[in-house]
Amino acid sequence: MTANSKIANAVYIEFVRLLYTARWPIVVVGSAMLITGLAVAWQTRDVVMVVISVTGMAVTLARLALCFAFDRAVARRPLDVGTAKQWERRLAAGVISTGVCVGAFATRCFLLPDLAAHMIAGGLVFGYCAGTTTRFSIRPWIVQTSLVVSVTPAIAAALWNFDLLHTAQALLFVIFALGGLELIDYIHATTAEQLTLRAEATRLARADALTNLPNRRHLVEHFNELAKRLARHGEGFAVISLDLDFFKEANDRFGHAAGDEILRIVAGRMTELLDDEDLAARIGGDEFVVVQANVSDEAEADDLGRRIVAALSEPYAIAGEAVMLGASFGSALAPTDGVTLDELLRKADEALYAVKRNRPSRVREISACADDAPLAPELAAISEHGGPAAPIRAINADVA
């Protein structure tokens, strides 16, 4: 996942979190609908208005219960994009249901002969639309749908009376609804820009300047989240230590700029292999750490480690040449090998160094690449004219 994708996901998750902070507007609309609805029902002896008012309050209570359920769920486990989408759909159902109740309330009021009821209907529709537009416009599709289902029946019911003043009122509904739609776009764009800037600043403070991978600070924060999930729910995870083989030789031969480019390529290749809840961090030089979430046994960590090593062992196109490196890894599993970051890093490093120390080095033959891109660690045989010698031999370490 790219840095831009991560920022976009972070902004989206924050949007959903902000949606669930709107508790007071829910209470206001539900209470207003119940109180005024019962008053209209008492004045006009209309049973339908009682049903609409009670239904509106029931929807209000259900939405409040949903907010408290969201609080409990987030306290147990931070939101990811998939879970945030589920919570957004649940909240949308509540907002739109309230809009339907408001539309039904207004429609019934305009069909009653009491003009005071018509006035109350207008006040409720305007108040609901203003509050919904302001509070929920960070997710435009939700508030736009809610406006349509609340205002459209009110406009139709007002026009049903077929007189000048009700026509003027319907026109006001249309004008304010259109103004609300424009305001929704403005608030959403402004909020998105602010959250994006904040997320970018946060990312830069927690990212390695060269590779854009998470730095040690971010690694610690992510580890602490997984440690909490382990303690609460028993969800295991793995820590994988990796470093590059022959990076120093390549850096010495081609220069630090080429070494920096290799590290950036390494970061991209590693990131492509990780799931959303995994994290790869650069902790110094050519040393990297991967924290793999939702791991139940050592084989899963070994599988990811081998796939990363295979990816990092592919050629690197540097300054017109294909540079062959390699990589090594060691893993540790929580809680089997420890529960703190220091314990697991130490175990993973021990496994990494054991692999390097105990495995035999092997020599393999590698076919030459195109003439303008010869293979090249300093171990490779390169002709004086820049072309590759016929088969090139390079040291490649096996991975345990």
Side-chain angles (χ1 to χ4, degrees):
M1 185 183 298
T2 65
N4 288 339
S5 297
K6 290 182 178 180
I7 290 175
N9 287 344
V11 170
Y12 171 72
I13 290 171
E14 181 64 11
F15 274 148
V16 174
R17 189 195 67 78
L18 288 174
L19 288 175
Y20 278 92
T21 62
R23 313 290 171 87
W24 182 241
I26 297 174
V27 174
V28 169
V29 172
S31 300
M33 198 182 312
L34 180 65
I35 295 170
T36 57
L38 292 179
V40 171
W42 178 268
Q43 181 73 20
T44 61
R45 299 297 188 266
D46 186 65
V47 177
V48 175
M49 184 58 70
V50 174
V51 174
I52 294 173
S53 303
V54 172
T55 302
M57 178 52 69
V59 171
T60 296
L61 295 175
R63 290 179 62 188
L64 291 174
L66 182 65
C67 291
F68 293 125
F70 175 83
D71 291 342
R72 291 192 298 271
V74 172
R76 289 194 301 268
R77 184 170 185 170
L79 285 178
D80 56 33
V81 173
T83 306
K85 288 180 178 179
Q86 295 175 0
W87 284 107
E88 180 185 13
R89 288 192 292 268
R90 293 166 186 163
L91 182 134
V95 175
I96 294 170
S97 296
T98 300
V100 170
C101 291
V102 170
F105 184 102
T107 299
R108 188 60 185 172
C109 283
F110 281 123
L111 295 179
L112 293 173
D114 193 325
L115 292 180
H118 300 192
M119 180 183 66
I120 290 175
L124 182 65
V125 170
F126 282 122
Y128 173 73
C129 293
T132 301
T133 298
T134 303
R135 204 63 179 85
F136 295 100
S137 55
I138 53 178
R139 300 306 297 153
W141 75 271
I142 296 176
V143 69
Q144 287 167 351
T145 304
S146 182
L147 284 179
V148 169
V149 299
S150 61
V151 174
T152 303
I155 293 172
L159 291 174
W160 181 261
N161 288 275
F162 204 70
D163 60 42
L164 180 61
L165 292 182
H166 283 94
T167 301
Q169 190 167 33
L171 181 60
L172 283 177
F173 285 152
V174 172
I175 292 172
F176 278 96
L178 293 176
L181 293 176
E182 190 279 332
L183 181 60
I184 290 167
D185 291 335
Y186 173 78
I187 294 177
H188 174 259
T190 302
T191 307
E193 181 180 6
Q194 292 173 346
L195 292 179
T196 300
L197 290 173
R198 185 192 306 172
E200 176 64 17
T202 301
R203 187 193 68 81
L204 290 174
R206 299 157 69 233
D208 173 60
L210 176 62
T211 63
N212 272 332
L213 285 177
N215 57 20
R216 184 177 288 272
R217 174 184 174 183
H218 191 175
L219 171 65
V220 171
E221 292 173 353
H222 186 76
F223 180 91
N224 290 339
E225 288 295 334
L226 293 183
K228 290 178 183 177
R229 284 159 53 179
L230 172 64
R232 292 172 180 170
H233 311 294
E235 297 180 8
F237 60 93
V239 172
I240 304 172
S241 290
L242 299 111
D243 67 12
L244 299 178
D245 299 330
F246 312 125
F247 176 74
K248 182 178 183 303
E249 291 81 358
N251 199 47
D252 291 343
R253 173 166 183 168
F254 294 102
H256 292 296
D260 290 347
E261 181 61 21
I262 289 173
L263 292 175
R264 283 190 284 267
I265 296 173
V266 165
R269 293 181 183 180
M270 291 177 63
T271 302
E272 290 177 356
L273 295 174
L274 302 183
D275 292 335
D276 288 344
E277 293 189 330
D278 301 339
L279 179 139
R282 181 185 179 216
I283 59 174
D286 61 338
E287 298 177 353
F288 300 87
V289 171
V290 170
V291 181
Q292 183 185 13
N294 302 316
V295 177
S296 57
D297 58 59
E298 187 176 348
E300 296 180 57
D302 286 345
D303 175 68
L304 177 59
R306 291 176 184 276
R307 287 190 287 119
I308 292 175
V309 166
L312 300 188
S313 299
E314 293 293 323
Y316 297 80
I318 302 296
E321 303 188 9
V323 180
M324 295 293 296
L325 303 178
S328 305
F329 82 95
S331 63
L333 192 66
T336 305
D337 297 315
V339 294
T340 69
L341 181 59
D342 289 341
E343 289 174 338
L344 292 168
L345 280 177
R346 184 171 64 253
K347 291 285 187 178
D349 287 342
E350 289 174 358
L352 169 65
Y353 297 138
V355 167
K356 285 179 167 290
R357 185 170 57 250
N358 296 331
R359 71 188 175 197
S361 293
R362 294 184 183 177
V363 178
R364 70 171 181 173
E365 289 198 352
I366 306 173
S367 300
C369 296
D371 290 343
D372 61 345
L375 291 171
E378 100 294 358
L379 304 171
I382 304 297
S383 69
E384 292 180 357
H385 301 290
I392 298 169
R393 297 169 68 83
I395 301 296
N396 184 52
D398 284 344
V399 179

